[in-house]
Every structure is written in structure tokens, then in C-alpha cells.
Amino acid sequence: MLLHFALPPVTRLHRAAALRNTQGPRAALAEVDGLAAELDRYYLFHATRAGLRRALGHPDEARAADRLALELTANPAEHGPAPGTRRVLSDRCRPPGGNQAGPPRR
């Protein structure tokens, strides 16, 4: 029913994240990837892609998406000392050996 309306891209991102629970990460990733043109500058788009890539067994691609999400996180509340989104994303950017990976270069 919801798909009969012109849904905003963020709402479609939420739907795709929920799709993971019903149809699996591959189907969800296909939906998320379809939103790239509209949400490429939105950090939660990349964080969602990272989680789906990780679920599909692609840790390097997941870390790259997490680094993009970290780079795009602009909310000042996320920069404080409390464990927020930036800290979670920063932790996820570390490779398995624990070395800190830097932000992606453009």
C-alpha cells in the first residue's frame, strides 16, 4: 500500500532496512542501492549500506561505507564525548586487527 504513494527517499530507506528482516540483506541492499542518487550525501544511507554489506560477508566494503557515513556525520551532538553515532561508525571503520583506518580520500 505504501508504495502507491510518492514516498520521500528517507522513508524508502527505512522500508529497505525493514526489508532485511523479511526478505534478507541481499533484497534490502538492492532497494538501498536504488536510493544512491537521492541519498548519497546522507550518512544513514551509507551506514545502512555498511550493515547490509557486513551481513552479506563483505567486511571491506562495509568499512568503506562506514567511513563515508562517518565523513558525512554533521550533527554536533554526534561529535561529543558520549558514545554516539560517530563513535560507533569510527569503531566499525577499524579493520579486524584493530588498526584505525582513515577517512576515505576523494
Side-chain angles (χ1 to χ4, degrees):
M1 176 83 177
L2 284 177
L3 294 178
H4 294 285
F5 299 100
L7 297 175
V10 172
T11 302
R12 292 178 14 231
L13 180 65
H14 294 169
R15 179 190 175 278
L19 192 63
R20 175 184 180 173
N21 296 322
T22 60
Q23 295 183 23
R26 190 172 313 282
L29 183 61
E31 291 285 325
V32 169
D33 284 345
L35 298 170
E38 297 166 290
L39 296 177
D40 187 54
R41 304 302 300 161
Y42 182 49
Y43 80 98
L44 289 177
F45 166 75
H46 294 286
T48 301
R49 285 190 81 245
L52 295 170
R53 290 287 185 187
R54 195 171 287 105
L56 289 168
H58 303 286
D60 293 336
E61 294 173 12
R63 277 191 299 278
D66 277 329
R67 283 192 299 271
L68 276 172
L70 182 61
E71 182 181 281
L72 293 169
T73 303
N75 183 341
E78 301 294 356
H79 294 259
T85 301
R86 287 190 56 81
R87 183 171 176 185
V88 170
L89 291 171
S90 181
D91 289 347
R92 289 182 183 173
C93 289
R94 290 189 185 99
N99 296 329
Q100 179 66 30
R105 296 180 192 250
R106 291 189 175 239

